[in-house]
Amino acid sequence: MSLGEFELIRRYFTRPPRRADTLLTVGDDCALLVPRADERLAVSTDTLVAGVHFLADTDPRRLGHKCLAVNLSDLAAMGADPAWVTLALTLPRVDEAWLERFAEGFLDLAQRYGVDLIGGDTTHGPLSITVQAMGWVSADKALRRDGARAGDAVYMTGELGLGGLGLRIALGKCAIDAPAAVERLEKPEPRISAGLALGGLASACIDISDGLAADLGHILTASGVGATLDYAALPLPEPVRRHVEETGDWSMPLTAGDDYELCFTLAPEHEAELAARGISCTRIGHIEAERGLRILRDGQRLELGAGGYRHF
Ligand code: ADP
Ligand code: MG
């Protein structure tokens, strides 16, 4: 490696802390952080591996953004306010132009959410990026997966299927011109403000990273309930609708990942509160006592392939 490991860390990943509760940051054996008495620390880790989670030629600036965004999205889904991240980077070589852009994408997003990069690890090997994110949530406001009850409504923020469409475009499998879809795939926005606004309101919440069917399925399993979704109510943006019509692949918006919107459940008496808190979202179905996920389209029941429900 041309640039030494420590000089690399100093140059690209060491910034003065912005938070008053960051006492000691990158450069010592550990970071030192100030805990809060009456809140819970929400902690989450995600790894992105080249060739599995992103294409090897992905713009490094977007990659830096994405590997932080997917972790902040987990904090959003918990209703947590982001505070700190660590970054474990495995690099095949030292490419300074790549590192500079990667760090830019990562640190710009960190700054926007008031997050300090407080440490990490830098090693040599096939390109892989692991981020751990930490944030604060009031004890009574954490958005767990196990609180959905029969009679609750199912909602989601934003639009569905853009990430999946973006992936098909990036792989050359779809000719639709939809820059917003590629943007969603490569540069998702964590729904932090929606997650914070849903605190103490939603009965359960998850972020849509592996596809709505799979991720809502986690809420259903954890809560011991089932759901029916109304296909016509799904917030499909125009290019996703067009793709579904052209290919007949109606299941794509339900099974494709990478949307990073929030899916949540809500007791009927809280529905009016959504607008009051400025949460823009769409009602897509309801929770039932009967287990399993049912999808209705024009009164007909649709069957999803097994692929929609599993990672492996
Ligand atoms: P140690 O040998 O104690 O594990 P390292 O040499 O791995 O320490 O790291 C030196 C310092 O740099 C530590 O404070 C570590 O947290 C930080 N660090 C290493 N790699 C990164 C990185 N990619 N991003 C941010 N901080 C890093
Ligand atoms: Mg180390």
Side-chain angles (χ1 to χ4, degrees):
M1 290 199 179
S2 47
L3 186 68
E5 176 193 342
F6 298 109
E7 178 57 16
L8 183 162
I9 295 165
R10 192 195 64 74
R11 194 176 294 177
Y12 297 108
F13 300 112
T14 307
R15 297 290 180 278
R18 280 178 302 258
R19 304 178 58 89
D21 51 6
T22 308
L23 289 186
L24 189 61
T25 181
V26 175
D28 212 310
D29 298 312
C30 293
L32 291 175
L33 311 170
V34 184
R36 296 185 187 175
D38 297 318
E39 292 186 45
R40 304 293 179 246
L41 188 62
V43 180
S44 176
T45 301
D46 263 310
T47 294
L48 274 75
V49 177
V52 180
H53 299 94
F54 59 92
L55 310 173
D57 62 351
T58 299
D59 171 5
R61 196 175 195 294
R62 292 198 161 195
L63 185 60
H65 172 101
K66 182 164 179 173
C67 66
L68 178 55
V70 301
N71 278 275
L72 296 185
S73 178
D74 281 320
L75 293 182
M78 210 68 203
D81 192 12
W84 302 292
V85 285
T86 63
L87 170 65
L89 206 51
T90 304
L91 299 169
R93 72 194 75 83
V94 173
D95 173 346
E96 291 203 55
W98 188 95
L99 274 165
E100 187 164 339
R101 288 179 59 73
F102 175 85
E104 238 174 56
F106 190 98
L107 293 171
D108 280 1
L109 182 63
Q111 179 167 12
R112 267 210 281 133
Y113 287 103
V115 172
D116 277 342
L117 173 60
I118 53 155
D121 202 20
T122 305
T123 53
H124 180 235
L127 181 59
S128 162
I129 304 151
T130 297
V131 174
Q132 182 172 55
M134 289 153 272
W136 293 110
V137 60
S138 307
D140 56 345
K141 289 191 172 167
L143 300 174
R144 299 163 52 128
R145 296 179 179 184
D146 58 3
R149 297 292 173 261
D152 287 357
V154 179
Y155 279 85
M156 66 169 289
T157 61
E159 295 174 318
L160 188 66
L162 274 179
L165 183 64
L167 182 62
R168 281 157 179 77
I169 293 170
L171 293 174
K173 290 182 180 169
C174 168
I176 292 176
D177 179 34
V182 180
E183 173 97 4
R184 172 60 55 91
L185 174 71
E186 296 183 351
K187 207 163 172 287
E189 190 62 32
R191 301 304 184 201
I192 297 293
S193 57
L196 288 171
L198 286 168
L201 192 65
S203 51
C205 185
I206 194 166
D207 63 324
I208 304 175
S209 55
D210 296 331
L212 175 63
D215 292 319
L216 175 58
H218 294 315
I219 287 183
L220 302 182
T221 303
S223 301
V225 293
T228 293
L229 294 183
D230 174 10
Y231 196 89
L234 296 177
L236 306 185
E238 194 276 330
V240 172
R241 266 178 214 288
R242 191 146 34 103
H243 176 76
V244 169
E245 277 160 25
E246 283 174 8
T247 60
D249 184 9
W250 59 267
S251 67
M252 185 281 272
L254 291 159
T255 56
D258 281 309
D259 279 318
Y260 297 101
E261 296 294 348
L262 299 182
C263 173
F264 61 94
T265 61
L266 192 71
E269 65 265 29
H270 291 321
E271 292 196 67
E273 189 55 27
L274 289 175
R277 295 195 188 184
I279 303 163
S280 87
C281 54
T282 307
R283 185 184 166 137
I284 57 173
H286 60 276
I287 298 292
E288 296 160 324
E290 185 193 343
R291 298 209 183 197
L293 178 60
R294 292 159 287 282
I295 297 143
L296 289 182
R297 189 189 194 193
D298 301 328
Q300 296 271 69
R301 176 114 175 246
L302 296 171
E303 293 301 331
L304 281 178
Y309 287 92
R310 286 172 201 283
H311 243 316
F312 295 99

